[in-house]
Amino acid sequence: MTHDAAGADRAHAVRSAARGWRKAGAIDEPALRAIEAAYPDDRARLGFALRALVGIATFFGGLALTWMVGAIIEPSTPRRWAIVAGLVAVLFAGATELQLGRLRRRQAGAEFATALLAAIFAGLAVAAADRFRSFTLGLAALAVAHLLAAWRWGYATLAAIGAGFALLAVTHHGSWRIVWLAAGVPGAWMVLRPARSPKWPPSRRRCFEAAGAVLAIGAYLAANLYALDHRWLDFVPRETLAPSPTWRAAAIVGTTLIPALVLALGVRFRDRTLLVLGAVFAATSFATLRFYVSLAPVWVVLTLSGGACCALAIALRRWLDGGPAKERHGFTAEPLYEHRRLGDAMAAAATIAAMSPAAREAQARSFEGGGGLSGGGGATGGA
Amino acid sequence: MLAPATAAPLRRAADGSLISVREEIRVLLWVGVLLISTGAGLLIKENLDRIGPVAIAVALGLGAAGCLLWVRRRAPAFGWGETGEGDLVRDAALLLGALLAAADLAFIEVKFTPLGAEWRWHLLIVAAFYAALALRFDSKSLFSLALTSFAAWRGVAIVTVAVPWGPLGRDDRLLVEALICGVLFLALGKLLERTRCKPHFEPTAAWLGWLLILGALAVRLGVDDGRVAVALSLIACGLLLAWLAWYERAIGRYALGIGAAAYGVGGLIVHFVDLTHGGDVLFTFLVVVLAAAVVFLVLRAQRALRRTA
């Protein structure tokens, strides 16, 4: 990242936090104005909705432009395709530099779209130069291109995609599962160290966090017993035999221990990403256990799990509220000066998507019973 | 810049030595409610013969009543405005109680058919029940579920029309019903706003209304028959929404309007290229022009917003 962009990034983080403090009433209006004056942000930024719209338009516009160039030039060989893709990548990279530099854009959608297109076409150029013969080379090129783009321009999404491609690139090797598992260690380190280090500007910290989270997810998937037994990630059917007892035993240990380890790290270092990952891994491990060991009928398991979730949430909140100043060990259940508008909108969308009743069918027909499965609490009622 | 006493807690939150797990607790409660209501649905389906319909209906009813009575005891007094910040546990209990009650109602209707030939009205009853709870306990979640239940009663699933690539209807019934529901929701939102009765519910009604209108038109755009008329309608509705949202400074809705209008123009482009056998170059050129127009419009709007801010 350029010095300018990093400075603007830090200033934006301070201003954003200050607006949260103001909204929560922790500081007054003059204090907010003083902070904003001390940390000027010269970047053109858009809100989430406009940014998404501009990003989508630019991405598809960029793809269409590339397609048009291809349709006009009609490259006849993979080598010529590689040259076209390489030139297009350079064009999009230049457009990104221009927007982030002279045009002073950040979080405007368009510059992210051109950065993504640059990374995609750079990777494709290498794969096309190789005549798409090596799956590993193509994915590795995509990984390197995305990670370099993330490093240069500071986009967490590019870092996450790059880490994902890096993991996929090794799946054609016999020991890929060990590599994925081992990658979890640097993944956790990235979340705990560089992602929290003030040495890096906030956007690059988010890149470390996103890439580290993807590596941690990869490590859990490599260790999960269900994924092992069902060959989820064995993209090339090299082994037709069932996994060895040693592998299965290791997977059982991994499925059990990784969620606990990640949760423990999250609590120990007060890291939200690891806490969320640990909770998701724990839920997945519990579902894996349910697949192998039928503890009780599904409805009992679901109801008890739901009850356990609610009980845990209530107990956690009470425990935190009971501490001095409503906090314990650096955790609180009180809201802390954060912008939650997007989170609230996502929660509303999730509620509508998951809990709305199914639509009544046009033609009246007799009941089939059932009373609905979920969503809407079974309000489908066979209607 | 800040007094030490003011800065100390802010510094702790900023450097990560104090973090809030409020949202995580909320998600945990939400997942719990979803799992319990799903479990209740399966209980009905799998154990009907073993437990018996009366026992199931009574158990669900008791569960729902327990939740709602608990909420009623802890809820603030009714008011037509916002009644304070919601409580995480109370909101979850309210949602669970409402879902269990709706499941119970559906089950009773299936097994005991108290509505007889009028069984199809039960979703409307569910919608009214959700709406009553939403008004009493000031819950936007339940208000949105009331609206989606109403749409479901008319045969429209919000999830279907929320994505333009959703499955296509065999006829235009879905389109007409979605348009009617959408207009009704918009009118309801305006009514709430004008009468100052829960005016903070207006954005929910407006979002769902526009989503139904634009989503249904976008889904219908996938059918060849009458594509031009549908595309023109989508463009008109999208621009109308963008125009209205612009004056209300509702940026999210403005983006939705511009996006919908662009999607409609995309439909016209496809039709035009098909008609003229224009080929890839013409098609991609028009897409590039459209994308550039969208970016230009949004950036201009942003600049204008900044000037007026």
Side-chain angles (χ1 to χ4, degrees):
Chain A
M1 289 179 79
T2 62
H3 184 70
D4 261 15
D9 206 22
R10 288 181 193 277
H12 175 69
V14 174
R15 291 163 67 99
S16 186
R19 280 197 289 273
W21 302 337
R22 175 73 195 104
K23 204 173 172 194
I27 58 171
D28 55 13
E29 198 59 39
L32 174 64
R33 277 202 295 272
I35 291 171
E36 289 188 335
Y39 294 91
D41 180 14
D42 61 349
R43 304 283 136 164
R45 299 175 195 271
L46 299 181
F48 176 77
L50 293 183
R51 195 191 324 158
L53 185 59
V54 170
I56 291 168
T58 308
F59 184 78
F60 284 106
L63 278 184
L65 183 68
T66 309
W67 192 282
M68 188 171 76
V69 171
I72 292 168
I73 298 174
E74 290 187 349
S76 50
T77 63
R79 199 182 173 80
R80 288 184 183 168
W81 268 114
I83 293 168
V84 171
L87 287 174
V88 167
V90 170
L91 179 80
F92 284 128
T96 310
E97 285 290 331
L98 176 73
Q99 292 177 90
L100 290 172
R102 232 169 64 191
L103 298 181
R104 299 197 170 277
R105 280 186 192 157
R106 186 76 199 180
Q107 293 183 312
E111 83 292 351
F112 169 72
T114 52
L116 180 61
L117 287 166
I120 290 172
F121 282 109
L124 286 179
V126 175
D130 182 48
R131 296 171 186 268
F132 297 101
R133 281 178 301 204
S134 168
F135 188 72
T136 304
L137 178 69
L139 288 171
L142 281 166
V144 170
H146 279 84
L147 291 173
L148 282 177
W151 180 261
R152 172 69 186 158
W153 297 314
Y155 286 107
T157 311
L158 295 181
I161 296 172
F165 277 130
L167 289 177
L168 289 175
V170 297
T171 50
H172 277 219
H173 296 279
S175 52
W176 70 267
R177 210 174 276 278
I178 294 171
V179 176
W180 278 41
L181 202 54
V185 177
W189 175 79
M190 283 160 78
V191 173
L192 289 175
R193 291 293 167 213
R196 294 151 72 101
S197 166
K199 180 178 142 191
W200 306 110
S203 54
R204 198 169 276 171
R205 277 182 243 163
R206 282 193 291 275
C207 290
F208 282 119
E209 190 176 22
V214 169
L215 295 182
I217 291 169
Y220 178 75
L221 284 177
N224 184 273
L225 183 63
Y226 184 90
L228 176 73
D229 281 346
H230 290 78
R231 304 278 178 193
W232 260 15
L233 299 157
D234 287 322
F235 297 113
V236 179
R238 286 182 305 275
E239 305 153 77
T240 49
L241 295 171
S244 71
T246 317
W247 265 114
R248 288 200 83 243
I252 290 169
V253 172
T255 309
T256 313
L257 287 187
I258 289 179
L261 181 67
V262 174
L263 268 177
L265 285 173
V267 173
R268 167 71 184 80
F269 292 99
R270 284 191 291 275
D271 190 274
R272 194 186 299 278
T273 307
L274 291 184
L275 281 174
V276 171
L277 283 177
V280 172
F281 293 167
T284 312
S285 287
F286 189 70
T288 306
L289 175 69
R290 172 65 185 78
F291 181 80
Y292 288 98
V293 184
S294 183
L295 303 165
V298 178
W299 72 269
V300 175
V301 173
L302 286 175
T303 310
L304 288 181
S305 305
C309 284
C310 291
L312 178 64
I314 292 167
L316 186 61
R317 200 193 70 154
R318 284 197 174 171
W319 183 68
L320 292 172
D321 282 355
K326 292 194 170 187
E327 65 166 271
R328 286 183 197 264
H329 308 296
F331 290 99
T332 179
E334 292 295 295
L336 281 181
Y337 329 116
E338 290 147 345
H339 291 295
R340 286 290 180 196
R341 275 184 64 189
L342 188 60
D344 288 347
M346 285 172 71
T351 302
I352 290 169
M355 296 174 181
S356 292
R360 181 174 64 84
E361 286 182 17
Q363 299 301 317
R365 58 178 172 81
S366 61
F367 284 108
E368 290 175 351
L373 287 175
S374 62
T380 50
Chain B
M1 203 175 295
L2 298 175
T6 310
L10 304 180
R11 188 188 299 276
R12 289 189 67 209
D15 69 11
S17 55
L18 175 65
I19 67 168
S20 168
V21 287
R22 188 180 176 82
E23 291 307 308
E24 286 73 12
I25 289 175
R26 186 157 78 154
V27 170
L28 203 56
L29 284 167
W30 188 87
V31 170
V33 168
L34 185 65
L35 288 174
I36 293 173
S37 60
T38 308
L42 282 179
L43 161 74
I44 295 168
K45 194 177 179 186
E46 293 175 0
N47 294 284
L48 184 60
D49 298 332
R50 211 146 49 101
I51 304 176
V54 176
I56 288 177
V58 170
L60 283 175
L62 284 176
C67 289
L68 295 177
L69 284 173
W70 186 86
V71 170
R72 190 170 177 272
R73 271 186 25 216
R74 278 162 176 75
F78 174 76
W80 285 112
E82 275 190 270
T83 53
E85 179 132 342
D87 175 82
L88 294 179
V89 180
R90 197 180 64 220
D91 289 351
L94 176 62
L95 194 56
L96 181 61
L99 291 173
L100 288 179
D104 199 23
L105 181 69
F107 178 72
I108 289 170
E109 178 48 37
V110 170
K111 283 295 147 196
F112 306 107
T113 58
L115 293 174
E118 305 303 321
W119 58 267
R120 70 188 70 181
W121 289 82
H122 92 268
L123 275 175
L124 183 63
I125 296 170
V126 169
F129 174 66
Y130 282 163
L133 288 179
L135 288 175
R136 169 61 187 88
F137 298 112
D138 196 31
S139 167
K140 280 188 205 169
S141 300
L142 275 183
F143 182 65
S144 59
L145 285 182
L147 296 183
T148 55
S149 300
F150 180 87
W153 173 61
R154 299 307 310 158
V156 182
I158 194 85
V159 177
T160 310
V161 297
V163 286
W165 51 90
L168 302 173
R170 283 186 294 274
D171 50 39
D172 283 340
R173 194 191 61 81
L174 172 77
L175 176 67
V176 173
E177 293 287 359
L179 292 179
I180 291 171
C181 287
V183 172
L184 276 176
F185 292 175
L186 293 180
L188 177 65
K190 279 291 153 209
L191 186 71
L192 293 174
E193 198 178 44
R194 289 272 165 85
T195 55
R196 310 301 300 163
C197 301
K198 300 285 177 194
H200 54 288
F201 284 3
E202 189 273 339
T204 307
W207 264 105
L208 283 174
W210 281 112
L211 210 57
L212 278 170
I213 293 170
L214 300 174
L217 287 169
V219 169
R220 177 61 179 75
L221 204 57
V223 180
D224 288 342
D225 187 32
R227 180 179 282 159
V228 173
V230 175
L232 289 173
S233 307
L234 186 56
I235 294 166
C237 288
L239 291 178
L240 176 67
L241 169 59
W243 183 66
L244 292 172
W246 177 253
Y247 284 102
E248 292 173 7
R249 293 293 185 263
I251 301 306
R253 278 184 250 171
Y254 175 81
L256 179 68
I258 294 291
Y263 197 75
V265 175
L268 281 185
I269 288 175
V270 170
H271 184 79
F272 174 71
V273 172
D274 275 354
L275 208 67
T276 57
H277 305 289
D280 284 356
V281 175
L282 179 64
F283 175 73
T284 51
F285 172 74
L286 291 175
V287 171
V288 171
V289 172
L290 174 62
V294 169
V295 173
F296 175 77
L297 268 177
V298 172
L299 293 181
R300 283 295 296 268
Q302 175 71 5
R303 269 184 218 140
L305 271 177
R306 197 169 281 177
R307 273 199 301 273
T308 55

